[in-house]
Amino acid sequence: MKDRSCVKILTEWDIVAARQLGRNIAKELGFGTVDQARITTAISELARNIYLYAGEGQICIEEVQEKAKKGLNIIAEDHGPGIADIRKVMEDGFSTSGGLGAGLPGVKRLMDQFELHSDAENGTKIKAVKWL
């Protein structure tokens, strides 16, 4: 497995940096332009959530391998207040920011695997994998 590359999310510019990092790694791994767009959209959504709701956190991107499959793993972590109602945020169209509400359900659709863990003590950690 390759090293993990991370971008700290503190400002809106960090969202752009995380997207760029994701696109570059996806391209390096051999993802096509459509999947690169899916990955950068997912990263953008996750990074924006950190920026809006937690104030700070990080997006890490790493190559993953499972038997003959290669893929890209995005880990979004923060130590914010956590998500009070996970079922609610996973509903299509739900938005607390006045956004489009594509949010986390959108990320789940764009990626092949999606895990979300969140609580008030530890914040939120989301892992999303896209397979090549």
Side-chain angles (χ1 to χ4, degrees):
M1 186 178 317
K2 271 176 99 176
D3 292 336
R4 189 186 261 213
S5 301
C6 299
V7 175
K8 283 211 174 300
I9 306 298
L10 299 165
T11 70
E12 283 193 72
W13 289 107
D14 300 328
I15 298 168
V16 176
R19 279 177 62 101
Q20 197 58 54
L21 176 69
R23 184 179 298 278
N24 292 344
I25 293 172
K27 200 174 192 173
E28 247 172 63
L29 291 175
F31 281 96
T33 51
V34 172
D35 277 338
Q36 286 176 37
R38 287 183 178 120
I39 289 163
T40 53
T41 302
I43 290 169
S44 192
E45 196 61 54
L46 294 169
R48 187 166 302 287
N49 282 351
I50 291 171
Y51 174 72
L52 289 175
Y53 303 115
E56 67 176 275
Q58 66 178 4
I59 297 281
C60 294
I61 299 156
E62 62 189 11
E63 185 182 324
V64 284
Q65 193 126 16
E66 203 174 272
K67 295 185 180 105
K69 285 197 303 190
K70 256 193 352 183
L72 181 131
N73 187 19
I74 302 164
I75 302 121
E77 287 181 285
D78 68 61
H79 297 289
I83 298 169
D85 189 345
I86 290 174
R87 277 214 326 269
K88 190 97 176 138
V89 300
M90 290 309 293
E91 284 174 17
D92 275 318
F94 176 78
S95 173
T96 55
S97 66
L100 296 173
L104 295 178
V107 172
K108 188 175 182 177
R109 272 195 306 276
L110 290 165
M111 302 299 281
D112 298 320
Q113 284 172 243
F114 181 89
E115 277 174 50
L116 186 160
H117 302 283
S118 186
D119 62 63
E121 284 85 55
N122 302 307
T124 302
K125 182 174 185 174
I126 297 171
K127 284 172 69 172
V129 178
K130 188 72 173 168
W131 295 108
L132 195 54

